Amino acid sequence: MDDATEDLQQRDDLAAQRKDRPQPADEEPPPWDADALGVLMAPFTGTELPAWIDGVLDAGLASVILFGDNTPDPATARSLARAVHARSADCVVAIDEEGGDVTRIQSGTGSPLPTAWALGEVDSTELTRHAGHALGDILAACDIDLDLAPVLDVSTDPANPVIGTRSYGDDPDRVAAHARAFATGLIEAGLGTCAKHFPGHGATSTDSHTALPWIALDRRQLEREHLAPFRIAPWLDAVMTAHMLVPALGEGPASISPWARPLLDRTVGGTFRGMLITDALDMAAVAADPGYGEAVVRAIESGADLLCLGTSMRRDAEQMLREAHDALVAAVESGRLSREELHARAEGTREHCRTLRTRRRFVPLRDLDESLERAERLGADAAARAVRARGAHLELGPVTVLDLRARADHASAARSQQLVEVLRDRGLQADVPDYPDQIDERAQVLAITRLPRSDLDEEARLAALLARRPDTIVVHVGVPAAAPDHRRLVLAHGAGRTMMRAVVDLLLEGGR
Protein backbone atom coordinates (compact mmCIF):
# COMPACT_ATOMS: atom_id res chain seq x y z
CA MET A 1 0.00 0.00 0.00
CA ASP A 2 1.46 3.41 -1.00
CA ASP A 3 1.42 6.44 1.31
CA ALA A 4 -1.61 8.04 -0.37
CA THR A 5 -3.68 4.85 -0.14
CA GLU A 6 -2.63 4.30 3.46
CA ASP A 7 -3.65 7.85 4.32
CA LEU A 8 -7.05 7.34 2.70
CA GLN A 9 -7.54 4.09 4.63
CA GLN A 10 -6.73 5.81 7.90
CA ARG A 11 -9.31 8.49 7.16
CA ASP A 12 -11.94 5.82 6.47
CA ASP A 13 -11.09 4.06 9.75
CA LEU A 14 -11.38 7.28 11.71
CA ALA A 15 -14.69 8.12 10.03
CA ALA A 16 -16.07 4.68 10.92
CA GLN A 17 -14.98 5.08 14.56
CA ARG A 18 -16.65 8.47 14.72
CA LYS A 19 -19.88 7.06 13.32
CA ASP A 20 -19.98 4.24 15.89
CA ARG A 21 -19.21 6.47 18.89
CA PRO A 22 -22.28 8.03 20.62
CA GLN A 23 -22.48 11.78 19.97
CA PRO A 24 -23.50 14.17 22.75
CA ALA A 25 -26.47 16.31 21.74
CA ASP A 26 -24.48 19.53 22.09
CA GLU A 27 -21.30 18.31 20.34
CA GLU A 28 -19.97 20.38 17.46
CA PRO A 29 -20.60 18.87 14.01
CA PRO A 30 -17.71 16.81 12.63
CA PRO A 31 -15.07 18.62 10.58
CA TRP A 32 -15.54 19.12 6.89
CA ASP A 33 -14.26 16.36 4.63
CA ALA A 34 -12.04 17.77 1.87
CA ASP A 35 -12.95 15.08 -0.64
CA ALA A 36 -16.68 15.67 -0.23
CA LEU A 37 -16.23 19.45 -0.49
CA GLY A 38 -14.07 18.95 -3.58
CA VAL A 39 -17.10 17.95 -5.69
CA LEU A 40 -19.61 20.54 -4.44
CA MET A 41 -20.80 23.88 -5.81
CA ALA A 42 -22.51 25.62 -2.90
CA PRO A 43 -24.77 28.65 -2.58
CA PHE A 44 -24.95 31.18 0.21
CA THR A 45 -27.45 33.87 1.07
CA GLY A 46 -27.04 37.62 0.91
CA THR A 47 -24.69 40.23 -0.49
CA GLU A 48 -21.84 39.58 1.95
CA LEU A 49 -19.94 36.38 2.70
CA PRO A 50 -21.49 34.71 5.76
CA ALA A 51 -19.13 33.79 8.58
CA TRP A 52 -19.77 30.05 8.21
CA ILE A 53 -18.38 29.88 4.71
CA ASP A 54 -14.86 30.90 5.73
CA GLY A 55 -14.21 27.51 7.29
CA VAL A 56 -15.69 25.71 4.30
CA LEU A 57 -13.45 27.60 1.88
CA ASP A 58 -10.43 26.85 4.07
CA ALA A 59 -11.38 23.16 4.07
CA GLY A 60 -11.40 22.91 0.28
CA LEU A 61 -14.83 23.78 -1.19
CA ALA A 62 -14.48 23.48 -4.97
CA SER A 63 -16.97 26.13 -6.05
CA VAL A 64 -19.58 28.64 -4.98
CA ILE A 65 -22.49 29.79 -7.12
CA LEU A 66 -24.05 33.24 -7.09
CA PHE A 67 -27.78 33.83 -7.57
CA GLY A 68 -29.92 36.93 -7.86
CA ASP A 69 -30.14 37.53 -4.11
CA ASN A 70 -26.33 37.75 -4.06
CA THR A 71 -25.99 40.04 -7.08
CA PRO A 72 -28.47 42.90 -7.31
CA ASP A 73 -25.80 44.77 -9.29
CA PRO A 74 -22.36 44.03 -10.78
CA ALA A 75 -20.42 45.99 -8.15
CA THR A 76 -21.89 43.81 -5.38
CA ALA A 77 -21.09 40.68 -7.38
CA ARG A 78 -17.50 41.84 -7.78
CA SER A 79 -17.10 42.42 -4.05
CA LEU A 80 -18.45 38.96 -3.27
CA ALA A 81 -16.29 37.15 -5.81
CA ARG A 82 -13.18 38.98 -4.65
CA ALA A 83 -13.97 38.04 -1.06
CA VAL A 84 -14.23 34.36 -2.03
CA HIS A 85 -10.94 34.43 -3.92
CA ALA A 86 -9.19 36.29 -1.10
CA ARG A 87 -10.09 33.37 1.16
CA SER A 88 -9.54 30.56 -1.38
CA ALA A 89 -7.54 31.40 -4.50
CA ASP A 90 -8.64 28.31 -6.46
CA CYS A 91 -12.32 28.22 -5.52
CA VAL A 92 -14.31 28.75 -8.71
CA VAL A 93 -17.03 31.40 -8.52
CA ALA A 94 -19.84 30.36 -10.87
CA ILE A 95 -22.99 32.13 -12.00
CA ASP A 96 -26.07 31.11 -13.97
CA GLU A 97 -25.97 34.05 -16.39
CA GLU A 98 -27.39 33.63 -19.89
CA GLY A 99 -28.30 37.23 -20.63
CA GLY A 100 -31.83 38.09 -21.73
CA ASP A 101 -34.50 36.88 -19.33
CA VAL A 102 -32.13 34.72 -17.26
CA THR A 103 -29.85 37.16 -15.51
CA ARG A 104 -28.27 37.08 -12.07
CA ILE A 105 -25.47 39.62 -12.45
CA GLN A 106 -28.03 42.41 -12.96
CA SER A 107 -31.03 40.96 -11.21
CA GLY A 108 -32.06 44.36 -9.94
CA THR A 109 -32.36 46.00 -13.37
CA GLY A 110 -32.40 43.27 -16.01
CA SER A 111 -29.76 42.25 -18.50
CA PRO A 112 -28.59 44.63 -21.23
CA LEU A 113 -28.24 41.67 -23.59
CA PRO A 114 -30.94 40.04 -25.73
CA THR A 115 -32.26 36.51 -25.33
CA ALA A 116 -30.62 33.62 -27.13
CA TRP A 117 -33.70 33.33 -29.34
CA ALA A 118 -33.32 36.96 -30.43
CA LEU A 119 -29.70 36.27 -31.39
CA GLY A 120 -30.83 33.22 -33.34
CA GLU A 121 -33.51 35.32 -35.02
CA VAL A 122 -30.92 37.82 -36.25
CA ASP A 123 -28.78 34.80 -37.18
CA SER A 124 -25.37 36.45 -37.21
CA THR A 125 -22.86 34.24 -35.43
CA GLU A 126 -20.47 37.19 -35.37
CA LEU A 127 -23.03 39.22 -33.42
CA THR A 128 -23.58 36.27 -31.09
CA ARG A 129 -19.84 35.97 -30.47
CA HIS A 130 -19.69 39.68 -29.64
CA ALA A 131 -22.63 39.20 -27.23
CA GLY A 132 -20.78 36.37 -25.49
CA HIS A 133 -17.63 38.47 -25.29
CA ALA A 134 -19.57 41.45 -23.91
CA LEU A 135 -21.10 39.27 -21.20
CA GLY A 136 -17.73 37.66 -20.52
CA ASP A 137 -16.11 41.07 -20.05
CA ILE A 138 -18.73 41.96 -17.43
CA LEU A 139 -18.33 38.68 -15.58
CA ALA A 140 -14.53 38.81 -15.70
CA ALA A 141 -14.56 42.37 -14.39
CA CYS A 142 -16.66 41.00 -11.51
CA ASP A 143 -14.00 38.32 -10.82
CA ILE A 144 -16.37 35.48 -11.80
CA ASP A 145 -14.78 32.36 -13.29
CA LEU A 146 -17.46 30.08 -14.72
CA ASP A 147 -20.65 30.93 -16.56
CA LEU A 148 -23.30 28.21 -16.74
CA ALA A 149 -23.89 28.95 -20.42
CA PRO A 150 -24.45 28.56 -23.35
CA VAL A 151 -27.81 26.81 -23.70
CA LEU A 152 -27.68 23.93 -26.22
CA ASP A 153 -31.34 22.95 -25.88
CA VAL A 154 -33.27 22.90 -29.17
CA SER A 155 -36.68 24.41 -28.44
CA THR A 156 -38.95 22.10 -30.44
CA ASP A 157 -41.96 22.14 -28.11
CA PRO A 158 -43.82 25.49 -28.07
CA ALA A 159 -45.43 24.43 -24.78
CA ASN A 160 -42.04 24.20 -23.06
CA PRO A 161 -42.35 26.30 -19.88
CA VAL A 162 -38.66 26.37 -18.92
CA ILE A 163 -36.53 26.70 -22.08
CA GLY A 164 -38.41 28.80 -24.63
CA THR A 165 -36.44 31.88 -25.67
CA ARG A 166 -33.41 30.71 -23.68
CA SER A 167 -32.71 28.55 -26.74
CA TYR A 168 -31.13 29.87 -29.94
CA GLY A 169 -33.92 28.26 -31.94
CA ASP A 170 -35.73 25.13 -33.03
CA ASP A 171 -33.07 23.98 -35.50
CA PRO A 172 -30.12 21.96 -34.10
CA ASP A 173 -27.60 23.37 -36.57
CA ARG A 174 -28.54 26.95 -35.72
CA VAL A 175 -28.40 26.20 -32.00
CA ALA A 176 -24.96 24.59 -32.29
CA ALA A 177 -23.55 27.43 -34.39
CA HIS A 178 -24.76 30.20 -32.09
CA ALA A 179 -23.95 28.36 -28.87
CA ARG A 180 -20.39 27.83 -30.05
CA ALA A 181 -20.12 31.48 -31.10
CA PHE A 182 -21.42 32.67 -27.73
CA ALA A 183 -19.05 30.32 -25.89
CA THR A 184 -16.16 31.57 -28.01
CA GLY A 185 -16.91 35.11 -26.88
CA LEU A 186 -17.01 34.05 -23.24
CA ILE A 187 -13.71 32.20 -23.56
CA GLU A 188 -12.08 35.20 -25.29
CA ALA A 189 -12.98 37.22 -22.20
CA GLY A 190 -11.41 34.58 -19.93
CA LEU A 191 -14.57 32.85 -18.71
CA GLY A 192 -15.22 29.17 -18.27
CA THR A 193 -18.21 27.78 -20.17
CA CYS A 194 -20.81 25.09 -19.43
CA ALA A 195 -23.17 23.70 -22.09
CA LYS A 196 -26.64 22.80 -20.83
CA HIS A 197 -28.92 20.86 -20.40
CA PHE A 198 -27.70 17.43 -21.58
CA PRO A 199 -29.19 15.44 -23.30
CA GLY A 200 -31.48 18.27 -24.37
CA HIS A 201 -34.39 19.91 -22.51
CA GLY A 202 -36.12 21.49 -25.50
CA ALA A 203 -38.81 18.86 -26.08
CA THR A 204 -40.27 18.89 -22.57
CA SER A 205 -43.57 20.41 -21.50
CA THR A 206 -42.71 20.14 -17.79
CA ASP A 207 -40.49 22.47 -15.75
CA SER A 208 -37.90 20.46 -13.81
CA HIS A 209 -37.97 23.13 -11.09
CA THR A 210 -41.40 21.76 -10.13
CA ALA A 211 -41.60 18.16 -11.42
CA LEU A 212 -39.66 15.52 -13.35
CA PRO A 213 -39.98 15.98 -17.14
CA TRP A 214 -40.40 12.97 -19.42
CA ILE A 215 -39.52 12.85 -23.12
CA ALA A 216 -41.22 10.21 -25.25
CA LEU A 217 -39.24 10.68 -28.48
CA ASP A 218 -37.44 7.72 -30.05
CA ARG A 219 -33.66 7.51 -30.00
CA ARG A 220 -33.16 8.46 -33.65
CA GLN A 221 -35.20 11.65 -33.31
CA LEU A 222 -33.47 12.53 -30.05
CA GLU A 223 -30.04 12.12 -31.62
CA ARG A 224 -30.98 14.14 -34.71
CA GLU A 225 -32.82 17.00 -33.02
CA HIS A 226 -31.48 17.26 -29.47
CA LEU A 227 -28.17 15.47 -28.99
CA ALA A 228 -26.60 16.91 -32.13
CA PRO A 229 -25.68 20.36 -30.70
CA PHE A 230 -23.75 18.72 -27.86
CA ARG A 231 -21.11 17.66 -30.37
CA ILE A 232 -19.51 21.03 -29.65
CA ALA A 233 -18.88 19.95 -26.03
CA PRO A 234 -15.16 19.22 -26.56
CA TRP A 235 -14.59 22.95 -27.16
CA LEU A 236 -16.20 23.86 -23.82
CA ASP A 237 -15.15 23.51 -20.19
CA ALA A 238 -18.17 21.69 -18.82
CA VAL A 239 -21.52 20.11 -19.62
CA MET A 240 -24.54 20.30 -17.33
CA THR A 241 -26.85 17.30 -17.06
CA ALA A 242 -30.61 17.75 -16.88
CA HIS A 243 -33.18 16.37 -14.47
CA MET A 244 -35.31 14.52 -17.03
CA LEU A 245 -36.45 11.05 -17.96
CA VAL A 246 -35.58 9.90 -21.49
CA PRO A 247 -36.63 6.23 -21.74
CA ALA A 248 -35.17 5.86 -25.25
CA LEU A 249 -31.71 6.70 -23.88
CA GLY A 250 -31.66 5.13 -20.43
CA GLU A 251 -33.42 4.54 -17.13
CA GLY A 252 -33.72 7.24 -14.47
CA PRO A 253 -33.09 11.01 -14.57
CA ALA A 254 -30.11 11.95 -16.75
CA SER A 255 -28.46 13.95 -13.98
CA ILE A 256 -28.27 11.08 -11.48
CA SER A 257 -28.20 7.98 -13.68
CA PRO A 258 -25.16 6.12 -15.06
CA TRP A 259 -26.21 6.23 -18.75
CA ALA A 260 -25.67 9.97 -19.24
CA ARG A 261 -21.88 10.17 -19.15
CA PRO A 262 -21.28 7.24 -21.57
CA LEU A 263 -23.89 8.78 -23.88
CA LEU A 264 -22.00 12.08 -23.88
CA ASP A 265 -18.77 10.22 -24.61
CA ARG A 266 -20.37 8.45 -27.57
CA THR A 267 -21.92 11.67 -28.84
CA VAL A 268 -18.53 13.40 -29.06
CA GLY A 269 -16.42 10.35 -29.87
CA GLY A 270 -14.74 10.26 -26.47
CA THR A 271 -13.14 13.69 -26.91
CA PHE A 272 -14.77 15.58 -24.02
CA ARG A 273 -12.24 16.32 -21.28
CA GLY A 274 -14.20 18.86 -19.24
CA MET A 275 -16.33 18.62 -16.12
CA LEU A 276 -19.77 17.07 -15.89
CA ILE A 277 -21.89 19.33 -13.68
CA THR A 278 -25.38 18.53 -12.43
CA ASP A 279 -28.29 20.88 -12.65
CA ALA A 280 -29.36 22.20 -9.25
CA LEU A 281 -30.05 19.26 -6.96
CA ASP A 282 -32.61 21.17 -4.90
CA MET A 283 -35.01 21.21 -7.87
CA ALA A 284 -38.21 19.25 -7.30
CA ALA A 285 -37.49 16.90 -10.21
CA VAL A 286 -34.96 15.02 -8.03
CA ALA A 287 -35.27 16.58 -4.56
CA ALA A 288 -38.76 15.12 -4.17
CA ASP A 289 -37.76 11.66 -5.39
CA PRO A 290 -35.24 10.14 -4.64
CA GLY A 291 -34.58 13.03 -2.23
CA TYR A 292 -31.84 15.62 -1.93
CA GLY A 293 -29.18 13.60 -0.12
CA GLU A 294 -29.78 10.48 -2.20
CA ALA A 295 -29.60 12.54 -5.41
CA VAL A 296 -26.21 13.86 -4.29
CA VAL A 297 -24.81 10.36 -3.90
CA ARG A 298 -26.34 9.07 -7.12
CA ALA A 299 -24.86 12.00 -9.04
CA ILE A 300 -21.34 10.97 -7.96
CA GLU A 301 -22.09 7.32 -8.69
CA SER A 302 -23.19 8.40 -12.17
CA GLY A 303 -19.92 10.15 -12.96
CA ALA A 304 -20.61 13.81 -12.17
CA ASP A 305 -17.57 15.91 -11.28
CA LEU A 306 -19.27 18.91 -9.66
CA LEU A 307 -22.67 19.00 -7.98
CA CYS A 308 -24.63 22.23 -8.18
CA LEU A 309 -26.62 22.24 -4.94
CA GLY A 310 -29.04 24.97 -6.03
CA THR A 311 -30.33 28.19 -4.54
CA SER A 312 -30.68 29.01 -0.87
CA MET A 313 -33.62 31.36 -1.38
CA ARG A 314 -35.99 28.89 0.30
CA ARG A 315 -33.51 26.88 2.41
CA ASP A 316 -30.64 27.49 4.79
CA ALA A 317 -27.45 27.48 2.69
CA GLU A 318 -25.19 26.05 5.37
CA GLN A 319 -27.65 23.25 6.03
CA MET A 320 -27.90 22.50 2.30
CA LEU A 321 -24.13 22.13 2.10
CA ARG A 322 -23.96 20.10 5.30
CA GLU A 323 -26.64 17.67 4.08
CA ALA A 324 -24.89 17.12 0.75
CA HIS A 325 -21.49 16.77 2.43
CA ASP A 326 -22.80 14.36 5.07
CA ALA A 327 -24.58 12.23 2.44
CA LEU A 328 -21.27 11.73 0.64
CA VAL A 329 -19.36 11.02 3.84
CA ALA A 330 -22.01 8.50 4.92
CA ALA A 331 -21.80 6.81 1.51
CA VAL A 332 -18.04 6.43 1.98
CA GLU A 333 -18.42 5.15 5.54
CA SER A 334 -20.98 2.55 4.45
CA GLY A 335 -18.82 1.37 1.57
CA ARG A 336 -21.28 2.53 -1.06
CA LEU A 337 -18.66 4.98 -2.40
CA SER A 338 -14.98 4.17 -2.19
CA ARG A 339 -12.71 6.75 -0.59
CA GLU A 340 -10.26 6.34 -3.48
CA GLU A 341 -12.95 7.10 -6.07
CA LEU A 342 -14.25 10.17 -4.25
CA HIS A 343 -10.73 11.44 -3.63
CA ALA A 344 -9.79 10.99 -7.29
CA ARG A 345 -12.99 12.77 -8.40
CA ALA A 346 -12.32 15.68 -6.06
CA GLU A 347 -8.72 16.00 -7.20
CA GLY A 348 -9.80 15.96 -10.84
CA THR A 349 -12.42 18.64 -10.19
CA ARG A 350 -9.91 20.82 -8.36
CA GLU A 351 -7.54 20.52 -11.32
CA HIS A 352 -10.31 21.76 -13.62
CA CYS A 353 -11.00 24.60 -11.21
CA ARG A 354 -7.33 25.60 -11.12
CA THR A 355 -7.32 25.64 -14.93
CA LEU A 356 -10.29 28.02 -15.00
CA ARG A 357 -8.73 30.27 -12.39
CA THR A 358 -5.43 30.34 -14.32
CA ARG A 359 -7.20 31.35 -17.53
CA ARG A 360 -8.91 34.20 -15.73
CA ARG A 361 -5.58 35.51 -14.41
CA PHE A 362 -3.99 35.60 -17.86
CA VAL A 363 -6.74 37.46 -19.75
CA PRO A 364 -6.56 41.26 -19.40
CA LEU A 365 -9.61 42.77 -17.70
CA ARG A 366 -11.79 45.49 -19.18
CA ASP A 367 -13.15 48.24 -16.97
CA LEU A 368 -16.53 47.21 -15.52
CA ASP A 369 -18.36 50.42 -16.44
CA GLU A 370 -16.99 50.31 -19.99
CA SER A 371 -18.04 46.68 -20.29
CA LEU A 372 -21.56 47.51 -19.14
CA GLU A 373 -21.83 50.36 -21.63
CA ARG A 374 -20.61 48.15 -24.48
CA ALA A 375 -23.16 45.47 -23.59
CA GLU A 376 -25.95 48.09 -23.58
CA ARG A 377 -25.05 49.26 -27.07
CA LEU A 378 -24.68 45.77 -28.47
CA GLY A 379 -27.86 44.53 -26.82
CA ALA A 380 -29.95 47.44 -28.07
CA ASP A 381 -28.79 46.86 -31.63
CA ALA A 382 -29.42 43.11 -31.51
CA ALA A 383 -32.87 43.47 -29.93
CA ALA A 384 -33.95 46.10 -32.47
CA ARG A 385 -32.95 43.75 -35.30
CA ALA A 386 -34.86 40.81 -33.77
CA VAL A 387 -38.23 42.21 -32.66
CA ARG A 388 -41.13 41.92 -35.13
CA ALA A 389 -44.63 43.45 -35.18
CA ARG A 390 -47.74 43.41 -37.33
CA GLY A 391 -50.70 45.77 -37.23
CA ALA A 392 -49.43 47.40 -34.06
CA HIS A 393 -48.80 51.06 -33.29
CA LEU A 394 -48.75 53.11 -30.07
CA GLU A 395 -50.07 56.64 -29.78
CA LEU A 396 -48.75 59.12 -27.22
CA GLY A 397 -51.56 58.56 -24.75
CA PRO A 398 -52.39 56.50 -21.65
CA VAL A 399 -51.48 52.81 -21.79
CA THR A 400 -52.77 49.92 -19.71
CA VAL A 401 -50.56 46.86 -19.42
CA LEU A 402 -52.04 43.48 -18.55
CA ASP A 403 -49.71 40.58 -17.80
CA LEU A 404 -51.67 37.48 -18.80
CA ARG A 405 -48.91 34.96 -18.05
CA ALA A 406 -50.34 32.39 -15.66
CA ARG A 407 -47.40 30.01 -15.19
CA ALA A 408 -44.33 31.15 -13.28
CA ASP A 409 -41.05 31.27 -15.18
CA HIS A 410 -38.80 29.70 -12.54
CA ALA A 411 -35.63 29.84 -14.63
CA SER A 412 -35.93 33.61 -14.92
CA ALA A 413 -36.49 33.99 -11.18
CA ALA A 414 -38.68 36.88 -10.02
CA ARG A 415 -40.91 38.46 -12.65
CA SER A 416 -40.43 42.19 -13.11
CA GLN A 417 -42.71 44.48 -15.07
CA GLN A 418 -40.08 45.72 -17.52
CA LEU A 419 -42.63 46.79 -20.13
CA VAL A 420 -44.31 49.28 -17.80
CA GLU A 421 -40.98 50.78 -16.78
CA VAL A 422 -39.87 51.18 -20.39
CA LEU A 423 -43.16 52.82 -21.39
CA ARG A 424 -42.75 55.33 -18.58
CA ASP A 425 -39.12 55.93 -19.55
CA ARG A 426 -40.36 56.80 -23.04
CA GLY A 427 -42.73 59.41 -21.60
CA LEU A 428 -45.98 57.44 -21.77
CA GLN A 429 -48.54 57.23 -18.97
CA ALA A 430 -48.58 53.50 -18.21
CA ASP A 431 -50.39 51.65 -15.46
CA VAL A 432 -51.18 48.11 -14.35
CA PRO A 433 -54.74 47.80 -13.03
CA ASP A 434 -55.42 45.61 -10.01
CA TYR A 435 -58.35 44.02 -11.85
CA PRO A 436 -59.00 43.70 -15.61
CA ASP A 437 -62.40 45.43 -15.30
CA GLN A 438 -60.60 48.57 -14.13
CA ILE A 439 -59.21 49.24 -17.60
CA ASP A 440 -59.65 52.83 -18.71
CA GLU A 441 -61.66 52.51 -21.91
CA ARG A 442 -59.73 55.45 -23.38
CA ALA A 443 -56.36 53.80 -22.80
CA GLN A 444 -54.45 51.68 -25.29
CA VAL A 445 -54.10 48.11 -24.02
CA LEU A 446 -50.95 46.01 -24.18
CA ALA A 447 -51.23 42.36 -23.11
CA ILE A 448 -48.21 40.17 -22.34
CA THR A 449 -48.38 36.48 -23.26
CA ARG A 450 -45.91 33.60 -23.13
CA LEU A 451 -47.78 30.26 -23.43
CA PRO A 452 -51.32 31.13 -24.59
CA ARG A 453 -51.63 28.00 -26.78
CA SER A 454 -50.80 25.53 -24.01
CA ASP A 455 -51.63 27.17 -20.69
CA LEU A 456 -55.40 27.05 -20.25
CA ASP A 457 -55.51 29.90 -17.75
CA GLU A 458 -53.45 32.18 -19.98
CA GLU A 459 -55.56 31.22 -23.01
CA ALA A 460 -58.79 32.02 -21.13
CA ARG A 461 -57.50 35.38 -19.92
CA LEU A 462 -56.48 36.38 -23.43
CA ALA A 463 -59.80 35.29 -24.97
CA ALA A 464 -61.78 37.27 -22.38
CA LEU A 465 -59.64 40.37 -22.93
CA LEU A 466 -59.86 40.24 -26.73
CA ALA A 467 -63.63 39.76 -26.57
CA ARG A 468 -63.81 43.03 -24.67
CA ARG A 469 -60.97 44.91 -26.30
CA PRO A 470 -60.21 43.48 -29.78
CA ASP A 471 -57.88 46.43 -30.39
CA THR A 472 -55.45 45.08 -27.75
CA ILE A 473 -51.82 44.87 -28.82
CA VAL A 474 -50.46 41.45 -27.77
CA VAL A 475 -46.78 41.50 -26.78
CA HIS A 476 -45.73 37.88 -26.98
CA VAL A 477 -42.56 37.12 -24.99
CA GLY A 478 -42.35 33.38 -25.69
CA VAL A 479 -41.22 31.54 -28.80
CA PRO A 480 -43.04 32.53 -32.02
CA ALA A 481 -44.69 29.12 -32.43
CA ALA A 482 -46.48 29.68 -29.10
CA ALA A 483 -47.87 33.09 -30.09
CA PRO A 484 -51.62 33.63 -30.44
CA ASP A 485 -53.19 34.27 -33.82
CA HIS A 486 -54.03 37.96 -33.43
CA ARG A 487 -53.98 40.80 -35.93
CA ARG A 488 -52.11 43.19 -33.61
CA LEU A 489 -49.11 41.18 -32.47
CA VAL A 490 -45.54 41.86 -31.39
CA LEU A 491 -42.97 39.05 -31.28
CA ALA A 492 -40.65 40.22 -28.49
CA HIS A 493 -38.56 37.00 -28.16
CA GLY A 494 -38.22 37.61 -24.41
CA ALA A 495 -39.46 39.74 -21.53
CA GLY A 496 -36.23 41.40 -20.35
CA ARG A 497 -35.40 45.08 -20.29
CA THR A 498 -33.55 45.14 -23.61
CA MET A 499 -36.27 43.30 -25.51
CA MET A 500 -38.99 45.52 -24.00
CA ARG A 501 -37.13 48.67 -25.03
CA ALA A 502 -36.96 47.38 -28.59
CA VAL A 503 -40.69 46.56 -28.48
CA VAL A 504 -41.74 50.02 -27.32
CA ASP A 505 -39.46 51.80 -29.79
CA LEU A 506 -40.86 49.68 -32.63
CA LEU A 507 -44.46 50.38 -31.59
CA LEU A 508 -43.81 54.12 -31.39
CA GLU A 509 -42.28 53.98 -34.88
CA GLY A 510 -45.38 52.26 -36.24
CA GLY A 511 -44.15 48.67 -36.47
CA ARG A 512 -42.50 46.84 -39.33
Side-chain angles (χ1 to χ4, degrees):
M1 179 183 298
D2 59 28
D3 291 342
T5 304
E6 185 175 2
D7 179 60
L8 293 173
Q9 184 62 53
Q10 289 175 351
R11 289 165 64 178
D12 279 351
D13 293 342
L14 288 172
Q17 293 171 15
R18 186 177 67 242
K19 181 181 179 182
D20 294 337
R21 191 171 61 244
Q23 301 290 319
D26 59 349
E27 183 176 316
E28 289 293 320
W32 295 103
D33 183 292
D35 292 338
L37 292 178
V39 296
L40 299 180
M41 175 188 285
F44 58 89
T45 305
T47 56
E48 296 182 358
L49 278 187
W52 64 265
I53 208 167
D54 288 348
V56 181
L57 291 172
D58 291 342
L61 181 66
S63 176
V64 299
I65 182 167
L66 304 181
F67 287 101
D69 69 304
N70 306 121
T71 58
D73 55 72
T76 302
R78 178 173 57 187
S79 296
L80 273 179
R82 286 178 174 175
V84 170
H85 290 142
R87 191 81 191 193
S88 177
D90 288 333
C91 180
V92 159
V93 178
I95 195 166
D96 189 13
E97 178 65 41
E98 300 169 12
D101 293 358
V102 179
T103 181
R104 315 299 181 210
I105 197 72
Q106 291 173 280
S107 62
T109 61
S111 174
L113 293 172
T115 59
W117 193 282
L119 291 169
E121 185 77 15
V122 176
D123 201 16
S124 165
T125 53
E126 187 68 6
L127 175 65
T128 301
R129 183 177 69 83
H130 287 311
H133 201 147
L135 177 58
D137 283 340
I138 294 171
L139 298 181
C142 293
D143 208 17
I144 292 169
D145 308 302
L146 174 64
D147 189 13
L148 302 182
V151 170
L152 284 178
D153 303 309
V154 183
S155 189
T156 57
D157 187 348
N160 194 314
V162 68
I163 301 301
T165 59
R166 299 167 65 194
S167 168
Y168 291 99
D170 55 10
D171 176 76
D173 291 336
R174 176 175 293 193
V175 168
H178 284 275
R180 185 167 180 180
F182 194 83
T184 298
L186 286 170
I187 293 168
E188 289 171 343
L191 265 291
T193 55
C194 178
K196 60 188 186 186
H197 307 79
F198 186 80
H201 214 307
T204 66
S205 57
T206 301
D207 187 344
S208 51
H209 291 85
T210 60
L212 182 61
W214 182 73
I215 295 181
L217 302 179
D218 62 49
R219 188 182 186 95
R220 181 172 297 180
Q221 186 174 1
L222 285 163
E223 290 177 347
R224 183 178 66 250
E225 295 182 358
H226 299 282
L227 281 175
F230 285 92
R231 293 180 186 136
I232 74 167
W235 285 275
L236 308 181
D237 298 293
V239 169
M240 176 177 284
T241 50
H243 305 317
M244 49 191 281
L245 294 172
V246 194
L249 299 178
E251 185 177 350
S255 56
I256 59 172
S257 298
W259 57 265
R261 184 147 206 157
L263 176 65
L264 177 61
D265 289 338
R266 290 195 299 272
T267 300
V268 300
T271 57
F272 178 65
R273 299 291 181 265
M275 289 187 290
L276 199 65
I277 303 177
T278 67
D279 207 344
L281 293 172
D282 70 329
M283 292 164 64
V286 294
D289 182 16
Y292 178 70
E294 176 65 14
V296 166
V297 177
R298 289 192 192 180
I300 292 297
E301 290 178 324
S302 302
D305 300 295
L306 190 58
L307 315 185
C308 177
L309 300 185
T311 174
S312 60
M313 292 181 65
R314 293 172 296 278
R315 295 187 60 189
D316 179 78
E318 184 179 7
Q319 184 61 29
M320 286 179 71
L321 178 59
R322 176 60 74 175
E323 285 182 28
H325 167 276
D326 289 355
L328 292 174
V329 172
V332 170
E333 293 174 344
S334 69
R336 180 176 175 182
L337 291 177
S338 76
R339 170 61 68 178
E340 291 80 5
E341 178 185 356
L342 183 61
H343 179 72
R345 194 77 55 84
E347 287 301 299
T349 297
R350 287 198 177 95
E351 183 59 34
H352 284 298
C353 290
R354 282 190 289 270
T355 298
L356 294 178
R357 292 289 295 135
T358 300
R359 180 193 301 168
R360 279 271 297 102
R361 296 184 186 108
F362 278 90
V363 177
L365 293 180
R366 288 179 180 262
D367 177 78
L368 177 56
D369 290 337
E370 291 178 2
S371 298
L372 291 167
E373 290 174 6
R374 177 170 175 256
E376 291 282 357
R377 292 192 300 270
L378 187 148
D381 174 65
R385 293 166 64 181
V387 171
R388 301 285 183 268
R390 70 179 183 219
H393 176 63
L394 269 181
E395 303 292 341
L396 295 178
V399 180
T400 293
V401 177
L402 294 174
D403 191 343
L404 305 183
R405 293 172 290 177
R407 191 181 301 189
D409 187 354
H410 295 279
S412 301
R415 177 186 299 172
S416 60
Q417 192 49 274
Q418 297 282 3
L419 180 55
V420 172
E421 295 177 9
V422 171
L423 288 165
R424 291 170 179 169
D425 287 344
R426 297 297 190 262
L428 295 170
Q429 177 188 333
D431 70 275
V432 181
D434 293 331
Y435 302 97
D437 59 4
Q438 294 181 349
I439 298 174
D440 183 344
E441 295 300 327
R442 298 165 299 176
Q444 301 167 93
V445 179
L446 297 182
I448 302 172
T449 62
R450 184 168 72 101
L451 296 166
R453 291 177 179 267
S454 58
D455 188 290
L456 295 179
D457 288 340
E458 186 172 325
E459 180 184 36
R461 293 177 190 180
L462 178 61
L465 175 62
L466 294 182
R468 178 179 175 185
R469 290 292 302 266
D471 61 334
T472 294
I473 297 173
V474 174
V475 178
H476 181 68
V477 300
V479 300
D485 184 13
H486 182 57
R487 63 185 179 85
R488 308 188 74 190
L489 178 69
V490 183
L491 296 178
H493 311 306
R497 171 169 59 93
T498 296
M499 305 313 300
M500 291 298 98
R501 284 179 175 176
V503 164
V504 173
D505 290 344
L506 180 60
L507 289 176
L508 291 175
E509 293 169 4
R512 64 170 180 263

